Amino acid sequence: MGVNKALSSANITKFLVFSNTAGKTDIRLLLTEMNYEESVFDVSIRMSVTVVDAAALPNFAPISSTFDDLKLAGGEKVEVGFTDNYGNEYELEMYIDTLDELGNTTKTQTYRISMVSMEYLMNESKRVRKKYEGKISDSLVKILQEDLQTGKDIFVDETINNYSFLGVNKKPFYWCISLAKKSVPFKKGQVAGYFFYENYFGYQFKALDELFAQDPKFSCIYNETTDRIPGGYDAKILDYTFDNNINFQNELKLGTYNTERFDFNPYDQRYKENPFTFQEQEGAIVPVAKTRITERINPIFIESPSRFLDYPQDIGTLPPGSHLEEQLKKSKEPNLELDDIATQAAMRYQQACTIQVTITIAANLGLNVGDIIFADIPEVSSTFKPKPENTNSGLYMISELCHKLTPRRSATKLVLIRDSYDR
């Protein structure tokens, strides 16, 4: 399929709004733009549409607009269906979060409807109150199913570390995000950090390094042709923008390469120094590309820690077990081994987003955040046919995406990240 064909208007098959008080209406013919969004940093998928509501009768008799008939007030269910030009189809249920008026005349009314998942709104009235213990991944699933009461699929990379905690009346998504920062998938003492997010398929609790280890799902290239997609690629990049802003001082301040923790043990009243450098990740982290960023950095600035963390250890406050005897046996053990987790997770999050590029392709609903793709970016050259360059081409993870559909054009914008250079 040519690029122009893939870019042509996709099909919105359904946009059925269920009024809380006035029945239901399919208003897909009133939509002038639809955006569907996912992000590995967001607990909800999101949608927004622009609606132009114009009505008139041959005798110019006064009639009310669809917007007025629906009596929208927030929280309405919307059933949405749409397809791309590759045959992929989405069917989903969203709920109205905000409604913004963009302008109106005596004959037309223009407004934007923003929608989120039901759980995003229900999270405001749900609370976690029970005690949880055992594997963090197991606790997260229980919070989503029992406290948030979601019926959606949950995809989890199993954690190897345990954690005991009380819900203390916090919202479910608060704990999901908090637990992600405390989770270890493998190689304890070398790597940590998860993403918790929602995509089209459900909730994802994924280890950062497990995501980066995936095989590529899609390949694309930027070239100067107008319509042809070269052999061996799935799509043509229509435009791209690199976020090449370097702020080295800020990276040092955040401890991206060398961080040290001071842990205070309340049981024996001792401090313990826990330095952690990028070299200690070797063997556990497999970079997406060939050359780690640290290989290009002046070593004199990362020989010593540039960030210091000071935390009391969680010892004796909430030992696991349902009986006193069992709890006493573990009362001197740390509940969460922060020296093995916190610094690794903080550093890994910073490293993962060091290189970022935003690309636009023809709308493709077969892509989701968390997928790995291959992108060929051209070299800066005075030649008529520049070749794909080596440094910035290669594998990336999709961290954010937006499928944008209009009556004339359908495109997908992807924010891609990675932690290393070269193919």
Side-chain angles (χ1 to χ4, degrees):
M1 181 187 296
V3 176
N4 293 335
K5 174 66 174 175
L7 265 173
S8 63
S9 175
N11 186 25
I12 300 175
T13 58
K14 178 170 58 175
F15 196 85
L16 190 59
V17 181
F18 290 77
S19 170
N20 296 326
T21 58
K24 59 185 179 181
T25 304
D26 193 333
I27 63 170
R28 68 184 186 278
L29 297 180
L30 304 180
L31 306 184
T32 60
E33 180 178 301
M34 173 186 285
N35 293 286
Y36 169 91
E37 300 174 359
E38 294 179 358
S39 172
V40 295
F41 309 107
D42 200 341
V43 298
S44 176
I45 56 177
R46 298 175 185 268
M47 291 192 69
S48 65
V49 293
T50 301
V51 181
V52 177
D53 190 3
L57 291 178
N59 60 0
F60 299 101
I63 62 172
S64 59
S65 68
T66 303
F67 171 70
D68 292 329
D69 290 340
L70 286 169
K71 296 178 173 60
L72 300 180
E76 289 84 1
K77 181 175 77 169
V78 183
E79 291 183 357
V80 185
F82 55 101
T83 65
D84 62 18
N85 292 308
Y86 294 99
N88 299 309
E89 182 176 4
Y90 272 18
E91 291 274 351
L92 60 157
E93 186 179 283
M94 304 293 288
Y95 287 79
I96 294 178
D97 183 27
T98 63
L99 193 145
D100 300 308
E101 186 175 303
L102 302 180
N104 60 71
T105 68
T106 56
K107 295 181 176 63
T108 64
Q109 193 171 27
T110 304
Y111 49 93
R112 179 180 292 112
I113 300 175
S114 298
M115 295 156 285
V116 293
S117 299
M118 171 188 275
E119 290 83 356
Y120 184 77
L121 299 175
M122 293 299 297
N123 181 64
E124 298 302 316
S125 59
K126 300 291 185 181
R127 294 296 185 272
V128 180
R129 296 188 174 97
K130 296 183 291 186
K131 176 185 178 181
Y132 286 92
E133 59 183 51
K135 285 188 176 181
I136 292 179
S137 50
D138 295 339
S139 296
L140 179 128
V141 172
K142 290 178 182 177
I143 288 172
L144 290 173
Q145 292 178 339
E146 298 174 8
D147 295 301
L148 189 59
Q149 298 179 335
T150 182
K152 292 178 179 176
D153 292 332
I154 305 170
F155 301 88
V156 170
D157 286 339
E158 186 177 3
T159 59
I160 64 171
N161 60 323
N162 299 332
Y163 181 47
S164 297
F165 62 96
L166 292 173
V168 293
N169 217 36
K170 298 289 188 181
K171 299 173 187 178
F173 284 150
Y174 165 87
W175 278 114
C176 292
I177 296 170
S178 177
L179 293 174
K181 302 172 186 177
K182 299 176 173 65
S183 297
V184 178
F186 55 87
K187 296 284 186 180
K188 192 174 183 180
Q190 289 181 282
V191 64
Y194 276 56
F195 285 129
F196 172 74
Y197 58 95
E198 184 187 14
N199 66 16
Y200 177 70
F201 298 101
Y203 287 106
Q204 312 284 333
F205 187 63
K206 294 293 183 177
L208 195 155
D209 284 284
E210 295 284 17
L211 289 174
F212 275 139
Q214 297 175 104
D215 292 329
K217 184 178 181 180
F218 183 84
S219 63
C220 51
I221 184 173
Y222 183 92
N223 59 23
E224 298 297 334
T225 62
T226 57
D227 188 43
R228 185 176 60 86
I229 299 174
Y233 295 92
D234 300 305
K236 172 179 162 60
I237 299 173
L238 304 174
D239 61 64
Y240 66 94
T241 304
F242 270 99
D243 183 4
N244 282 331
N245 299 324
I246 296 174
N247 190 333
F248 188 51
Q249 185 270 342
N250 190 59
E251 291 179 357
L252 294 176
K253 182 170 65 175
L254 294 171
T256 305
Y257 312 108
N258 196 331
T259 298
E260 185 166 319
R261 286 181 57 91
F262 291 95
D263 289 333
F264 173 67
N265 187 325
Y267 178 76
D268 58 19
Q269 302 289 298
R270 293 184 181 180
Y271 274 97
K272 180 182 177 183
E273 296 183 17
N274 294 289
F276 187 80
T277 68
F278 68 91
Q279 289 97 338
E280 295 178 66
Q281 298 172 326
E282 299 297 333
I285 290 177
V286 179
V288 175
K290 242 189 247 182
T291 308
R292 293 196 67 176
I293 295 169
T294 48
E295 296 179 36
R296 299 188 176 187
I297 291 174
N298 190 332
I300 67 171
F301 295 109
I302 57 177
E303 291 173 348
S304 302
S306 57
R307 185 183 185 186
F308 297 87
L309 306 174
D310 195 352
Y311 287 100
Q313 290 187 348
D314 184 0
I315 295 178
T317 56
L318 200 64
S322 55
H323 301 288
L324 179 60
E325 293 79 8
E326 185 180 358
Q327 292 176 348
L328 286 173
K329 289 179 183 178
K330 299 183 178 181
S331 62
K332 300 177 184 179
E333 299 176 6
N335 182 22
L336 184 70
E337 298 175 12
L338 286 172
D339 54 326
D340 286 337
I341 298 171
T343 51
Q344 295 95 311
M347 288 174 59
R348 197 67 185 109
Y349 286 132
Q350 294 298 323
Q351 294 167 2
C353 300
T354 303
I355 302 171
Q356 179 175 305
V357 60
T358 301
I359 68 172
T360 302
I361 60 174
N364 190 325
L365 304 184
L367 298 175
N368 298 93
V369 291
D371 289 340
I372 297 293
I373 72 168
F374 181 89
D376 252 337
I377 308 296
E379 63 182 356
V380 178
S381 172
S382 59
T383 62
F384 180 68
K385 293 183 178 180
K387 299 178 181 178
E389 69 155 357
N390 185 60
T391 300
N392 290 313
S393 296
L395 299 177
Y396 287 87
M397 185 184 79
I398 303 173
S399 63
E400 301 174 59
L401 68 76
C402 176
H403 301 306
K404 183 174 183 176
L405 282 62
T406 70
R408 294 184 177 181
R409 192 172 187 261
S410 57
T412 294
K413 180 171 286 190
L414 305 174
V415 178
L416 310 177
I417 60 173
R418 68 177 183 178
D419 59 353
S420 44
Y421 290 105
D422 300 330
R423 294 174 179 271

